[in-house]
Amino acid sequence: MVDKQVVSPVAAPAVPQPGRWVVLAAKVAALTALPSGIWRIVMGAGIPVGFDTTGLDVPGWFTLVCIAMSVVTEALAMLTLGLVRPWGEVMPAWIPLIGGKRVAPLAAVVPAGLGAVVLMVLTIPRAGGFGGAVGAPTGLPLVVMNVCYAPLLLWGPLLAVVTVAYHRRRRV
């Protein structure tokens, strides 16, 4: 009979838990894309929101584009939660080849940091809204659209804060 040797994985160093305020910041960041996504889907579905959709295939292909943009944007926003959840420190076991392995801190910090910078570059200069753009709504519909897009201004700075906190926690 052959004696099987049990090999235990090397224990990763203990990582402190994120503070409550960091978890809250990550949750808020994950939700910042939701209002604009809903607005975009409503527009794509052909419901009048004040935006001129003349010449666009509404409802049709443009609807699918609006839905896809909204889903991808929200999925990217939800990745912020990985900076405060266990799956941001150890890959989930169901992922082939890398499941159960420790996430290298820079593998999360670099894309999250770049994402935060890109988000701020894309959103902050446009903080005044889309008033005056060709086909843009005016009056109350413009106010509604700007209110739906305003939370995106928080996504970049919140992602930056959560990323710095993740880096500080994971520094060994």
Side-chain angles (χ1 to χ4, degrees), residues 12 31 33-34 39-40 47 54 63 77 82 85 98 103 120 128 132-133 139-140 156 160 163 168 170:
L31 294 174
L34 196 58
W39 184 91
R40 198 177 304 112
I47 298 171
T54 305
T63 305
R85 295 276 190 255
I98 59 172
V103 174
M120 288 186 271
L140 183 59
T163 301
R168 287 183 176 167
R170 298 290 312 275

Side-chain angles (χ1 to χ4, degrees), residues 97-111:
L97 304 174
I98 59 172
K101 293 185 180 178
R102 190 168 185 260
V103 174
L106 287 180
V109 170
V110 170

Side-chain angles (χ1 to χ4, degrees), residues 59-119:
W61 281 106
F62 186 70
T63 305
L64 296 176
V65 169
C66 289
I67 292 169
M69 284 175 50
S70 298
V71 168
V72 168
T73 302
E74 188 57 37
L76 290 171
M78 293 298 233
L79 285 175
T80 307
L81 295 174
L83 300 171
V84 297
R85 295 276 190 255
W87 53 270
E89 296 172 10
V90 177
M91 295 303 289
W94 57 266
I95 298 178
L97 304 174
I98 59 172
K101 293 185 180 178
R102 190 168 185 260
V103 174
L106 287 180
V109 170
V110 170
L114 289 173
V117 169
V118 167
L119 285 167

Side-chain angles (χ1 to χ4, degrees), residues 1 8 15 26 30 39 56 58 72 75 79-80 85 89 91 93 95 105 107-108 124 132 139 141 162 164 171-172:
M1 184 171 217
S8 63
V15 177
W39 184 91
L56 300 173
V58 177
V72 168
L79 285 175
T80 307
R85 295 276 190 255
E89 296 172 10
M91 295 303 289
I95 298 178
I124 292 172
V162 175
V164 169
R171 218 176 17 197
V172 184

